[in-house]
Amino acid sequence: MSKLKVGVFGAARGRTMIGVLLEHPDAELVAVCDKYEPLLREVGEKAEEKGLKIALYTDFEEFFKHDMDAVVLANYATEHATYGARLLRSGRHIMTEVLPCETPAQGVELVEAVEQTGLVYAYAENYCYMDRTFEMWRRYLAGDIGRVTYGEGEYIHDCSSIWPRITYGDRNHWRNVVHPFFYCTHSLGPLLAMTGERPAKVTGIMTRADLEPYMKGLSMMTAGIEMVTTKSGAVFKSIHGGLKREPGSINYELYGDRGCMETQRFGDPYLNVYREGSRACHGNLESYFPQKFVDAELAEKVATHGGSDFYATHFFIQKILGRENGKWSIDVYQAMDMGLCGLIAHRSALAGGIPMDVPDFRDPAQRDAYRGDHACTTPSVAGDQLLPRLPIPGGMPEVPQEAYDRIRDLWLAGKDFEN
């Protein structure tokens, strides 16, 4: 069987997917698109080291015409759904980086493109595939802690120092425009993937926003918190944002009716699992380093994010090929469950933290209610449905252009931000 021909749109975050594709036995990297030419040259050089010649594009329309079976979308996080729906309708399978959509209307368009074409959509929520979270997923499916009652997911990452590298001093970059709840699936996604639970209601809570960094052209120092009640009655707490903490925190806890599992915030990357025995409040506690249990030898070739970047791309390929391990790939409905929680949580926070229903986009009737819902914090997308980023009377203050110019100068000089 010939290899799948795969293209990548976005060579910055796409570096890791490109690395997987250059090594994968079932796929061939054929084209990469990015507007920043130095990144394209870097990709071309890496391909040549492998004895490969790939097409490099700065224009998406030219990239779109290339002969490809599948496309990885690693472009701006607010633009995955619109490009994705178009690629699906052109006959290409797609995998999107986080987040699945910026607005509910985009989510409707994406879901219906998947349904109408019958092609594969995969969501690259790589935090589901880190050694500890993937092991928690495996053990939950095995019934080791019973049925979930409560869970916590935590993704704390202060990006202040690398802000020049990831926003380029562009005032309209998506990271400078989105609300604090948008980037929710690193914390919430693994909980939903592990358990198969579906969110029913969400309450959005926001920490006090520190606007001093914001006025320097940086991210607001704030965290979004989603309190999610699932359809079965379980409760999940998801927290994510740029709080002051080094190293950053990637932490998960899961409580069932027969035990619990949790990762370790500091120190060695243990997984702790408690399983209750026949006697109430007595059982077995394990603490260990999880090992890769799916295609481990191939996974070891890609080390970024603990090898989790490999699995998202690998399972996408396996699903297209109809293989058993494709079952681990995250589909469009699960992606919507993960991403819509953040979009609705923002509306909850703006309304004073009241619980709000999370729509199930598996149901066409529920999708209909959101078909024209373009509400978000990006003016060019929202139009007259524009939402404020924070519940601040009078709106957000204007950041002086000099602040963005300084960030851009640091990026061009290859320097990180310093206070």
Side-chain angles (χ1 to χ4, degrees), residues 96-104 107 110-111 121-129 133-134 137 179-203 224-230 236-240 252 312 327-346 357-362:
T96 72
E97 238 286 304
V98 295
L99 276 286
C101 59
E102 184 178 17
T103 70
L110 182 62
V111 167
Y121 169 91
Y123 185 49
E125 181 39 82
N126 55 333
Y127 281 62
C128 296
Y129 304 116
T133 50
F134 204 10
W137 189 349
H179 53 81
F181 298 94
F182 182 69
Y183 211 74
C184 67
T185 71
H186 282 346
S187 50
L188 179 61
L191 300 176
L192 296 177
M194 292 170 197
T195 62
E197 291 284 312
R198 231 229 98 236
K201 288 186 178 292
V202 64
T203 301
I225 302 161
E226 296 88 29
M227 295 299 301
V228 177
T229 302
T230 73
F236 293 150
K237 184 188 85 170
S238 161
I239 178 170
H240 49 94
Y252 304 91
K327 68 183 180 183
W328 298 107
S329 186
I330 298 167
D331 69 20
V332 71
Y333 303 117
Q334 294 168 305
M336 288 299 127
D337 286 345
M338 295 174 186
L340 287 172
C341 278
L343 304 189
I344 303 300
H346 181 229
D357 292 337
V358 180
D360 183 353
F361 274 13
R362 297 165 184 80

Side-chain angles (χ1 to χ4, degrees), residues 128-287:
C128 296
Y129 304 116
M130 292 186 171
D131 288 344
R132 293 181 296 174
T133 50
F134 204 10
E135 175 75 349
M136 291 171 76
W137 189 349
R138 182 187 73 82
R139 295 200 65 165
Y140 185 81
L141 290 179
D144 285 354
I145 65 166
R147 190 180 186 193
V148 66
T149 55
Y150 176 73
E152 294 188 8
E154 181 176 311
Y155 171 66
I156 304 300
H157 186 191
D158 180 5
C159 292
S160 299
S161 67
I162 62 171
W163 210 246
R165 278 187 266 158
I166 60 177
T167 66
Y168 329 121
D170 178 2
R171 127 181 344 262
N172 296 314
H173 190 280
W174 68 269
R175 293 180 187 272
N176 287 323
V177 176
V178 296
H179 53 81
F181 298 94
F182 182 69
Y183 211 74
C184 67
T185 71
H186 282 346
S187 50
L188 179 61
L191 300 176
L192 296 177
M194 292 170 197
T195 62
E197 291 284 312
R198 231 229 98 236
K201 288 186 178 292
V202 64
T203 301
I205 306 166
M206 190 186 307
T207 63
R208 182 189 71 247
D210 182 355
L211 295 183
E212 182 180 351
Y214 168 73
M215 296 303 290
K216 295 178 182 178
L218 300 173
S219 173
M220 296 176 289
M221 293 305 298
T222 186
I225 302 161
E226 296 88 29
M227 295 299 301
V228 177
T229 302
T230 73
K231 193 172 181 180
S232 76
V235 174
F236 293 150
K237 184 188 85 170
S238 161
I239 178 170
H240 49 94
L243 304 180
K244 285 296 179 186
R245 185 190 191 285
E246 294 298 335
S249 177
I250 304 168
N251 186 67
Y252 304 91
E253 300 176 11
L254 209 58
Y255 289 85
D257 54 18
R258 299 296 297 173
C260 69
M261 296 185 281
E262 62 181 54
T263 59
Q264 199 155 296
R265 280 185 175 85
F266 287 99
D268 294 325
Y270 285 108
L271 176 65
N272 303 297
V273 181
Y274 168 73
R275 301 172 66 193
E276 188 175 63
S278 58
R279 183 182 171 193
C281 302
H282 288 77
N284 181 53
L285 176 62
E286 305 170 63
S287 295

